Amino acid sequence: MSSTISSTPTASTAGAAPSASSTDPPPPSLLATNAESVVSLFGLTLIFIILFFALLTLPRFFALLHHRRGRSFFSEGWLLKPKLSAAARAKDALRRSLFLPPAQPTRKPTLRRGLVMNAAPFANDIDYSDEGHGAMGIGGGGGAGRRGPMSLDEEESRYPAHLRTLVRHHREVRSAGAPAHVPSWSTLLHSWPYAPWFGRAFFPNHINNLKNGQACLYLVYAVGFVIVAFIMTSGETGNLKRTGWLVVVQTPLVVCLGSKNSLVGFLLGRGYEKINWIHRWMGQLMFISSLFHVIGYIILWLRKNVEARQNAMHVDAWLAFAGFAMVAVFSLPVFRRSSYRLFFNAHWIGYLVYLIAICYHVEQALFWSLATFFILGLDYICRLVKSHYTTVTLTPLPDLRATRIEVPHLTRGWKAGQHVRLRAFTFKLGLFAFAEAHPFTIASVSENRNGQGVVLYVKSAGDWTKRLYDAASEPGKSGLEKGGMYLNSNSSLASLETLGREELEKGKVPAYDHYATGEKGVGVFATGAGAASTRTLVGFGSGTTMKMVVEGPYGGPCGHMMRSSFTSSLVVAGGSGITYGLSVVEELIRDVERLQSRTRLIGLVWIVTDPACLIPLLPTLTSLFNRVSYIPTLRFSLTVHYTRAVSPAFSAKLKTLPGGGLPRHISLEAGRPDFKHVVEDFVRWKTNRLARGSDGLSGVLVGVCGPGALAQSVREGVDALDDGVRRNVGGVEIEEE
């Protein structure tokens, strides 16, 4: 088999004199004789196709670099970083005060049991609707029933007189500092015939949620693959050599597409999980090609003499095929989903055997193997640089049946929607727990004003996550007690306004030592002697600690998209997808606070089985609503849909909350939502009714994180929108996580 791929001419052929007559058949063409060159051209064509799609992202990339917020946004998402020093924080605060003067609230918040209630009446307190279903009319006697967008003067008239100047100033400063909005190609081409079809699911009920556009790309690739393998070949081994070289030449590219730190992903502005489907499909077609190569030569050997059969005893050829077959077989979904460790170990062992054996099988493959090893080495170096060995704090959340993980030492360097990979160095999670890396979406925002680090919510679902929850629930080490109201000590609730601004300004900073139970079972904190920093005033800090390696961040927005460039954002989360929703919402609010955003409307829809899941997150959500209440022209609402009956225990807990129930901007609805109605209500009757400035509206972003069926339902709701409404709001774009 050592000559199966080789295309080097023999010495007798190379040295033969050109004595053939003119009547002899012409020599085989270069395409037929040099299989490596033909396949190399095919690989080069694939690279040019990738570069073409990379060029399509350049408009957003240049818009990203043009704006100062965009440059900082581009610098984020590569490496987790520790907290800034005091001098660096002071320098950063001075820079922000010079270039982005913040809008100050007109009065202090009203504190009630440690929570901010009924803050200054900004955009979230203004009634925009004419009807109970939330249609955003103009209101008032003559304006009732009006369906057109409001003017700036009409919108300002909604505010009290003493706030209108502040609202006008905030709008002007925000417009000057907001990033430019560049519509996506899907938005620009949506009105073309059949354009929406490419974004729809190829198999509606398939777990991978493949799109028609992706299937068309793969079909084009497969057709090109077959043409290169079988067209313009000569001799009985011509196509066999081509199929072998198709595997060898594409090995570096398929490995690059599967690596966590991929150059292809960088060029396309997409995380590895967004292009991994290309890696899988290319690998499957390459395995079919290698199978054709091996079976073809076996049949050829059976037809030849004994000398030809001896070639079949070459160990290097069989080792190369065995290694590649190991990678392909154990990459099937049945193995990948049932035993990821088996899939992972078979992957690296099989590829290592294949890359070494193929160099002995054919000498010309050495270059391609070295290129593959270079890509793998670069990827692992990047992983090593992105890894942090640190101490994390674990806190169980019984209502969520999840574990809250905080990494207090890593406070910046990621974007909303990104994820990290965790490796636990403890025998509590298994003998080989250090060998398993588990991805989880970050639920906090980078550079949180409370100095909060990376926060993860890990649902107890598999073996590893169940052992993690049990480790966090060890008696005497948990930061939470079952029942009652949970106040998160290192969560967003630990901000100055929620801790009592009046007491802090007077220097009366209490120290909180332990958790106690106040009246009506509401969680309060007993005070002790001494003073504490704002980092530990309210805290989850007494949870179980564990040593882990935190690797990341990975993923994030696609195609250099900036969420803060959209006028409004609708975020849909299913179950544990709320981690994505919390981080996106908090990042949008943070950018508006810095006057670096066009966002004026935020909607969060969360679908859960039990409404009690809302209880552990109430402090974080309440803090977000408090921050929005001090931001002019920004509105934020949360709708929780639950699919199970409300338990008496949950109803009792609601009565113990401050104010006797949920905040007024959080609504509970039974049953699954109809996303055609949800999306239309948000886009047509809310975003479309916002007042237009000189630059109009800059689009709607619909983000979704959850099961494939949920993403498909949201996409169907977006597809059902009228083209006229899309144009009026500046386009509608979908982000799937």
Side-chain angles (χ1 to χ4, degrees), residues 400-405 422 440 456-461 464-465 468-469 576 579:
L400 275 175
R401 189 62 185 174
T403 306
R404 183 184 186 274
I405 303 177
L422 300 181
F440 300 103
L456 312 169
Y457 290 95
V458 180
K459 185 178 181 180
S460 180
W464 191 88
T465 54
L468 181 70
Y469 181 82
S576 58
T579 55

Side-chain angles (χ1 to χ4, degrees), residues 617-693:
L617 300 181
L618 274 181
T620 301
L621 294 171
T622 303
S623 176
L624 296 178
F625 282 111
N626 292 336
R627 293 166 64 178
V628 171
S629 67
Y630 288 103
I631 303 174
T633 70
L634 179 64
R635 302 173 59 211
F636 171 43
S637 63
L638 168 63
T639 304
V640 179
H641 292 262
Y642 57 92
T643 57
R644 293 182 182 175
V646 178
S647 63
F650 173 70
S651 301
K653 287 181 180 180
L654 289 182
K655 296 179 181 179
T656 65
L657 297 177
L662 294 173
R664 60 193 180 92
H665 297 295
I666 300 179
S667 60
L668 289 176
E669 295 188 13
R672 301 182 184 277
D674 179 5
F675 283 105
K676 291 184 179 180
H677 172 74
V678 171
V679 174
E680 183 181 18
D681 178 73
F682 187 83
V683 177
R684 180 189 294 270
W685 304 120
K686 293 181 179 178
T687 304
N688 193 37
R689 303 302 302 280
L690 293 175
R692 268 75 164 170

Side-chain angles (χ1 to χ4, degrees), residues 180-482:
H181 176 70
V182 179
S184 65
W185 288 103
S186 60
T187 301
L188 296 175
L189 303 178
H190 186 271
S191 59
W192 287 28
Y194 304 106
W197 177 84
F198 289 96
R200 295 170 186 167
F202 186 67
F203 295 110
N205 297 323
H206 196 260
I207 191 170
N208 290 329
N209 202 22
L210 183 72
K211 305 296 187 301
N212 290 327
Q214 295 173 334
C216 290
L217 283 177
Y218 181 72
L219 180 62
V220 172
Y221 166 73
V223 170
F225 194 101
V226 172
I227 291 175
V228 173
F230 298 104
I231 301 300
M232 298 183 68
T233 59
S234 64
E236 57 184 359
T237 63
N239 54 3
L240 298 181
K241 293 179 181 179
R242 290 273 187 90
T243 53
W245 275 113
L246 278 169
V247 177
V248 174
V249 171
Q250 293 185 98
T251 298
L253 179 59
V254 77
V255 169
C256 185
L257 288 169
S259 59
K260 297 294 185 292
N261 302 278
S262 172
L263 178 61
V264 176
F266 172 78
L267 293 175
L268 299 178
R270 295 176 178 270
Y272 73 91
E273 74 283 359
K274 298 294 194 309
I275 60 176
N276 192 258
W277 64 274
I278 311 176
H279 165 81
R280 292 195 303 268
W281 283 38
M282 284 185 65
Q284 292 167 3
L285 198 55
M286 288 167 61
F287 174 67
I288 296 174
S289 180
S290 67
L291 198 61
F292 178 86
H293 175 82
V294 171
I295 294 177
Y297 269 102
I298 291 177
I299 296 175
L300 185 64
W301 290 332
L302 293 177
R303 295 177 179 176
K304 297 296 181 178
N305 53 24
V306 177
E307 182 180 356
R309 295 193 184 97
Q310 291 177 354
N311 291 329
M313 301 306 294
H314 285 200
V315 178
D316 48 21
W318 288 110
L319 279 177
F321 177 71
F324 201 84
M326 180 186 296
V327 173
V329 171
F330 288 101
S331 297
L332 295 175
V334 62
F335 295 106
R336 190 172 67 248
R337 296 173 191 148
S338 61
S339 179
Y340 185 84
R341 185 183 300 177
L342 176 63
F343 155 77
F344 175 77
N345 292 330
H347 231 64
W348 72 265
I349 293 175
Y351 248 113
L352 188 63
V353 171
Y354 160 73
L355 290 174
I356 296 176
I358 197 65
C359 296
Y360 290 94
H361 177 49
V362 53
E363 293 181 359
Q364 294 91 330
L366 179 62
F367 168 78
W368 305 102
S369 291
L370 290 178
T372 304
F373 277 119
F374 175 78
I375 293 172
L376 287 173
L378 186 62
D379 176 50
Y380 277 97
I381 290 175
C382 292
R383 291 194 195 187
L384 185 62
V385 172
K386 286 188 171 186
S387 298
H388 301 267
Y389 181 73
T390 184
T391 301
V392 304
T393 303
L394 310 178
T395 306
L397 303 176
D399 286 322
L400 275 175
R401 189 62 185 174
T403 306
R404 183 184 186 274
I405 303 177
E406 181 174 0
V407 190
H409 302 296
L410 302 176
T411 61
R412 56 196 179 96
W414 70 90
K415 302 175 185 177
Q418 288 191 302
H419 66 272
V420 295
R421 298 166 60 85
L422 300 181
R423 294 178 186 268
F425 282 79
T426 176
F427 292 117
K428 295 179 181 179
L429 304 186
L431 185 61
F432 299 100
F434 65 92
E436 300 182 26
H438 296 263
F440 300 103
T441 303
I442 303 175
S444 56
V445 68
S446 177
E447 296 184 87
N448 188 286
R449 60 180 180 174
N450 307 318
Q452 182 185 32
V454 173
V455 174
L456 312 169
Y457 290 95
V458 180
K459 185 178 181 180
S460 180
D463 295 336
W464 191 88
T465 54
K466 288 180 180 178
R467 289 194 293 267
L468 181 70
Y469 181 82
D470 293 338
S473 304
E474 289 183 357
K477 294 185 178 181
S478 172
L480 289 178
E481 302 292 340
K482 293 184 177 180

